[in-house]
Amino acid sequence: MKVSEIMTESVASLNSNDTIERAAQLMMEHNIGSIPVCRGEKVVGVITDRDITLRSVANGQNAKVQTVKEIMSSNPVLIQPSMEAEDAARIMSERQIRRLPVVENDNLVGIVSLGDIATNSTMENLAEKTLCEISEPCTPII
């Protein structure tokens, strides 16, 4: 099954100069925990609710003035809509991430999440395996 068959096509996105407050508002409005950050339609980063909590709120930053580019993760993992969903799940497992922006010709066309995999009846076992691997603590590098 291709990513294009299970991805969410309507994706909220942010500009890197948007405020953290705007990011949190979009997350609340759409009931999501991760938003691609774009320059035009090109994905340049991703911001998560965890980023907001740990990199902004926990440090006492002002969400009304702090910008997304200050706390976003740059160079996110991106996938193509033609990729097999099993390969997307493998990438999620390896990188311990739950959502992957989907791009075509450098333009954001969707997002695929672990939830998209889990709600597909033919991929339930894959979702369970992927979640277990995502949830495993990383081995510390000594």
Side-chain angles (χ1 to χ4, degrees):
M1 177 170 293
K2 301 289 185 193
V3 166
S4 60
E5 298 175 61
I6 62 169
M7 72 181 191
T8 300
E9 293 180 11
S10 176
V11 182
S13 66
L14 291 162
N15 171 312
S16 62
N17 292 319
D18 284 329
T19 64
I20 301 304
E21 180 180 56
R22 175 72 180 134
Q25 289 168 342
L26 265 181
M27 288 178 188
M28 183 175 68
E29 179 182 330
H30 296 283
N31 193 29
I32 54 177
S34 175
I35 301 178
V37 180
C38 299
R39 183 179 306 115
E41 290 296 312
K42 183 177 180 179
V43 179
V44 296
V46 171
I47 187 168
T48 66
D49 47 7
R50 182 173 166 84
D51 293 331
I52 292 171
T53 301
L54 299 179
R55 297 178 182 170
S56 182
V57 176
N59 290 325
Q61 299 298 316
N62 183 344
K64 292 183 182 299
V65 297
Q66 187 178 32
T67 61
V68 167
K69 71 180 163 200
E70 295 176 58
I71 69 165
M72 72 181 190
S73 297
S74 300
N75 302 317
V77 178
L78 305 174
I79 61 172
Q80 300 285 321
S82 58
M83 177 181 278
E84 293 293 330
E86 292 82 5
D87 292 330
R90 181 185 45 75
I91 291 168
M92 289 177 185
S93 294
E94 290 171 356
R95 300 292 187 98
Q96 293 189 309
I97 51 181
R98 296 172 188 249
R99 299 167 198 92
L100 295 168
V102 182
V103 297
E104 192 166 43
N105 300 320
D106 274 345
N107 293 326
L108 179 66
V109 295
I111 196 159
V112 68
S113 70
L114 183 57
D116 294 325
I117 294 169
T119 57
N120 186 298
S121 60
T122 62
M123 301 177 72
E124 288 172 354
N125 292 337
L126 178 61
E128 182 179 345
K129 178 181 181 281
T130 302
L131 178 59
C132 288
E133 291 173 358
I134 289 171
S135 300
E136 284 181 12
C138 291
T139 305
I141 298 173
I142 300 174

